[in-house]
Amino acid sequence: MLTKALRLYGKRDLRLEEFELPPIGDGELLVRVVSDSICMSSYKAAEQGTDHKRVPKDAAQNPVIIGHEFCGEIAEVGSKYKDRYAAGQKFTLQPAMKGTYKAAGYSFPYLGGNCTYAIVPECYIEQDCVLLYEGDSYFAGSLAEPVSCVIGAAHASYHTQHGVYEHIMGIRQGGKMAALAACGPMGLAFIEYLLITDRKPSLLVVTDIDDARLKRAAELLPPEMAAKHGVELIYQNTGKTDDPIGLLHGLNGGNGYDDVFVYAPVAPLIEQGDAILGHDGCLNFFAGPTDTAFTAKLNFYNVHYNATHIVGTSGGNTSDMKEALTLAAAGKLNPSILLTHIGGLDAAADATLNLPKLPGAKKLIYNGISMPLTAITDFGEKGKTDPMFAALADICGKNNGLWSACAEKYLLENAKKI
C-alpha cells in the first residue's frame, strides 16, 4: 500500500513523501487517515527534532510520521483482531501509551496523523488506545483529543471534607465557578461541556478582556441556552474595571467561588483567580506556560485557613477521550467551536512549522486533498473566484460560521485529490 506522509527527519526538517508501507502483521491494523488537527506539540517536535524526548535519535535515517490528533477508518485487520475490528469502522487514537515515551506522531515510521494510510502496531491495540467512533464526521474524531483536555480538567479538579483525608474528585456539583480568559476555543469547548455534563455549576462567570471574543462566545453559547441546562451563565469583560476582584465577588453575591479555571498563562490572572476562591475553592491552572520559570503569587494564609488549593492539568486520558467521542457522536458536543482553518496534506508542513505565528485556533488537515491552509472566515472572499469555496462559505454561513459534517462531506467530494 502506497502512502503519502509528512515525515520528520530532524529539526525543522519536514518532508511530504510517498512510499510503500509493508504488509501488516497478524497483530496490526492498516488504516486510512482522513483528518488530523495540528497540535502545538507537533510544532515542538518539529522544532526540537531528535532532541525531543519522543523522537528517535535515528530519525534522520528512519524518519517518523508527524501528527497525533487524527481520525479515519480501518482498511485492513490483522488475523489476531478479526473478532474485534472490521474494515470500514471509524476510529481515532489515544496517542499516549502507558509506560513509554513512544507515541504516534513522534516515534513511529508508519504511524502518524499526517498521512493517507498508516499501520497501527499491536502495542496500541493491547493498551486499548484504538478507539472506535460512530459519529458522522471525521473532524470531530480528530478533535476528541483536545476536547478530552477540557473534560480531563473538569475531572481533575477536586474538593475536600474537613477531617477526611480523601479528595472528592471533580468540580463541585451545583457550585459557583469562574472561568478566566475563557473565550478562546478551548474555553468555549469547556463551557459547552459544562452545560451538557452531569456535574455542572449553578453559576458560571466567564471573563475576557476582548469585547469581540465575548460577543462571539455569547452568540455560540448564549446565557439563554445555559439556563435551559440549569446554569446561570454570565459573560464579563474584566478589562473595563479597576477592581476585577471586587466585580467578580459581586457577581457571586459577595462570595468566593468553588472552582476557578485559568485559561491564560498570565501571572496577574492567576493571582486574580486565587483572590476570588471561596472556602475549599480549587484553582485549576489550565493554560500551559512556555516559560519554565513562570511563577505567580498565591495566598498561603487562605491555603492554611480557608482550605484553598491548586491543580494543573495537561491533556486527557483514554477515558476522557472515550467520553468526548461518545458526546460528539450523540451530537451533544460541537467540537467545531475549536476550528478556524482547513487545509490539505500539502499545507501541513508549513502550518506545523509556523503554528505559533498563525492566527486563530485549531488547524485541521484533510490528508486526501490538496488545498492551502484557509481560514473559515476567508471562504467568502475566496469564493468570489472559486466555486468550491463559495459553496463552503454558504454551508458554514448557515451553521453560525462553523465547520460541520456537511462542509466536510462537500470538501471531500469536491476538493482536488492529493
Side-chain angles (χ1 to χ4, degrees):
M1 174 64 71
L2 278 175
T3 186
K4 289 183 179 178
L6 187 63
R7 298 204 282 183
L8 175 66
Y9 282 79
K11 292 181 179 179
R12 297 190 65 82
D13 188 355
L14 292 176
R15 308 178 197 176
L16 181 58
E17 300 174 320
E18 186 174 67
F19 58 94
E20 190 83 29
L21 291 173
I24 64 168
D26 293 341
E28 296 179 324
L29 302 174
L30 176 68
V31 296
R32 182 171 72 93
V33 185
V34 177
S35 62
D36 180 77
S37 58
I38 300 177
C39 179
M40 187 61 73
S41 297
S42 294
Y43 163 76
K44 292 175 183 176
E47 280 289 302
Q48 296 174 7
T50 56
D51 289 340
H52 194 285
K53 61 185 177 183
R54 295 188 186 274
V55 177
K57 297 302 181 186
D58 65 346
Q61 294 75 40
N62 297 291
V64 295
I65 301 176
I66 203 163
H68 61 273
E69 296 178 357
F70 56 96
C71 183
E73 63 180 33
I74 296 172
E76 185 181 343
V77 182
S79 59
K80 184 176 179 179
Y81 296 108
K82 290 286 187 182
D83 59 344
R84 188 167 170 180
Y85 302 105
Q89 290 178 313
K90 282 195 182 82
F91 84 99
T92 186
L93 204 72
Q94 163 59 274
M97 292 187 293
K98 298 176 183 177
T100 178
Y101 279 125
K102 293 181 69 175
Y106 303 91
S107 315
F108 293 92
Y110 306 128
L111 180 61
N114 288 138
C115 66
T116 53
Y117 285 88
I119 295 175
V120 180
E122 188 171 358
C123 56
Y124 268 98
I125 301 170
E126 287 302 303
Q127 288 203 19
D128 194 29
C129 290
V130 180
L131 309 178
L132 297 180
Y133 161 62
E134 298 180 354
D136 61 355
S137 68
Y138 292 99
F139 77 85
S142 281
L143 294 172
E145 199 277 337
V147 171
S148 77
C149 297
V150 300
I151 292 175
H155 293 327
S157 290
Y158 68 93
H159 295 278
T160 63
Q161 184 176 346
H162 182 69
V164 178
Y165 303 116
E166 184 174 325
H167 291 162
I168 303 166
M169 299 307 299
I171 62 171
R172 176 156 289 157
Q173 170 64 23
K176 314 297 184 181
M177 178 187 292
L180 309 184
C183 286
M186 294 301 285
L188 294 179
F190 179 61
I191 298 165
E192 184 182 37
Y193 173 71
L194 290 174
L195 300 185
I196 56 90
T197 189
D198 293 336
R199 184 185 290 264
K200 55 173 64 75
S202 60
L203 171 68
L204 173 58
V205 178
V206 178
T207 77
D208 208 289
I209 57 173
D210 186 307
D211 280 335
R213 283 159 60 102
L214 285 158
K215 180 176 181 292
R216 181 59 172 160
E219 291 172 351
L220 295 172
L221 299 164
E224 296 79 11
M225 181 180 78
K228 294 178 181 179
H229 293 277
V231 179
E232 181 186 1
L233 175 58
I234 299 173
Y235 291 105
Q236 183 66 55
N237 188 327
T238 51
K240 295 182 175 181
T241 176
D242 294 330
D243 184 17
I245 294 169
L247 174 63
L248 292 170
H249 274 132
L251 293 173
N252 189 23
N255 301 308
Y257 290 80
D258 299 298
D259 294 282
V260 176
F261 284 75
V262 178
Y263 271 81
V266 179
L269 192 69
I270 296 170
E271 292 164 7
Q272 181 185 117
D274 177 53
I276 64 172
L277 287 173
H279 178 76
D280 191 38
C282 182
L283 175 67
N284 189 309
F285 181 48
F286 183 87
T290 56
D291 180 3
T292 57
F294 179 78
T295 59
K297 294 179 181 178
L298 294 177
N299 187 321
F300 280 90
Y301 181 93
N302 285 338
V303 170
H304 189 86
Y305 290 106
N306 211 25
T308 60
H309 46 275
I310 188 168
V311 65
T313 54
S314 177
N317 61 22
T318 300
S319 176
D320 299 325
M321 277 198 68
K322 288 180 177 178
E323 185 176 354
L325 290 167
T326 299
L327 291 170
K332 294 183 178 181
L333 276 182
N334 183 14
S336 61
I337 286 175
L338 293 162
L339 281 177
T340 58
H341 292 68
I342 307 295
L345 185 57
D346 47 355
D350 284 344
T352 301
L353 292 172
N354 295 289
L355 195 58
K357 303 174 186 176
L358 298 176
K362 295 296 287 187
K363 283 73 183 173
L364 186 77
I365 298 297
Y366 284 104
N367 295 317
I369 69 168
S370 171
M371 175 178 155
L373 189 72
T374 307
I376 295 172
T377 53
D378 290 341
F379 285 174
E381 183 64 29
K382 283 184 170 288
K384 294 177 180 178
T385 56
D386 188 324
M388 185 188 76
F389 281 111
L392 288 173
D394 181 61
I395 294 169
C396 293
K398 293 175 180 176
N399 191 41
N400 209 359
L402 298 174
W403 193 244
S404 64
C406 182
E408 176 181 272
K409 184 175 185 294
Y410 179 87
L411 179 70
L412 294 177
E413 290 176 351
N414 292 277
K416 179 183 175 183
K417 306 306 177 187
I418 188 73

